């Protein structure tokens, strides 16, 4: 990809990764494995710091709603976004995700402070 040279800068000190993809495109399903490998596993971040968003365009096929992803992607939190039908659900899921990231950040900061003290 043209932007691979920028990835280290994007990844530096990141606390979370949100991967948004089109579940109707088989190529996207292959690509998200690569994004997960580069941005989550190699950092390394916890799986709980990654959120997958299957974005459904207006009028898209419904059968992609029950998407079954292969390991290791099936361990990740997956939400379906369809902004025509349930924007509020998506908003709530994002808020939950951001809260969990803040909790992880606070815990790691507390651990660092304790290690300095001891």
């Amino acid at each position: 990809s043209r932007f691979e040279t920028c990835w280290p800068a994007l990844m530096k000190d990141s606390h979370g990764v949100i991967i948004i993809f089109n579940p109707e495109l088989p190529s996207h399903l292959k690509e998200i494995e690569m994004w997960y490998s580069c941005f989550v596993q190699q950092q390394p971040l916890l799986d709980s710091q990654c959120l997958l968003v299957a974005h459904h365009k207006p009028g898209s096929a419904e059968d992609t709603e029950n998407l079954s992803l292969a390991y290791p992607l099936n361990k990740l939190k997956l939400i379906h976004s369809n902004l025509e039908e349930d924007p509020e659900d998506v908003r709530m899921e994002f808020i939950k995700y951001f809260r969990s990231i803040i909790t992880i950040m606070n815990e790691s900061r507390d651990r660092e402070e304790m290690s300095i003290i001891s």
Side-chain angles (χ1 to χ4, degrees):
S1 147
R2 292 181 300 214
F3 302 113
E4 278 180 45
T5 50
C6 310
W7 288 2
L10 286 172
M11 291 192 259
K12 187 179 179 333
D13 301 329
S14 64
H15 295 287
V17 175
I18 298 173
I19 299 173
I20 301 173
F21 65 100
N22 181 343
E24 291 181 56
L25 293 180
S27 62
H28 273 205
L29 299 180
K30 289 272 15 117
E31 278 174 36
I32 55 177
E33 289 178 21
M34 185 218 27
W35 291 109
Y36 171 73
S37 167
C38 293
F39 281 84
V40 181
Q41 288 179 310
Q42 288 173 29
Q43 286 228 67
L45 292 176
L46 301 169
D47 284 342
S48 56
Q49 287 167 279
C50 182
L51 178 66
L52 290 181
V53 181
H55 184 63
H56 300 267
K57 290 187 179 152
S60 63
E62 287 302 306
D63 59 349
T64 50
E65 282 284 346
N66 37 24
L67 190 64
S68 60
L69 295 171
Y71 182 87
L73 298 173
N74 60 5
K75 302 181 299 174
L76 304 174
K77 171 87 176 150
L78 168 68
I79 66 170
H80 290 271
S81 75
N82 181 332
L83 299 181
E84 279 194 320
E85 286 170 27
D86 50 12
E88 192 53 32
D89 284 4
V90 175
R91 204 172 73 85
M92 291 311 296
E93 288 292 351
F94 270 101
I95 291 169
K96 274 197 290 196
Y97 170 70
F98 288 125
R99 281 194 185 133
S100 72
I101 295 293
I102 290 165
T103 303
I104 290 167
M105 286 167 61
N106 289 340
E107 284 169 358
S108 73
R109 196 189 58 223
D110 292 347
R111 274 198 305 276
E112 276 171 31
E113 287 172 2
M114 288 309 291
S115 68
I116 293 166
I117 294 166
S118 57

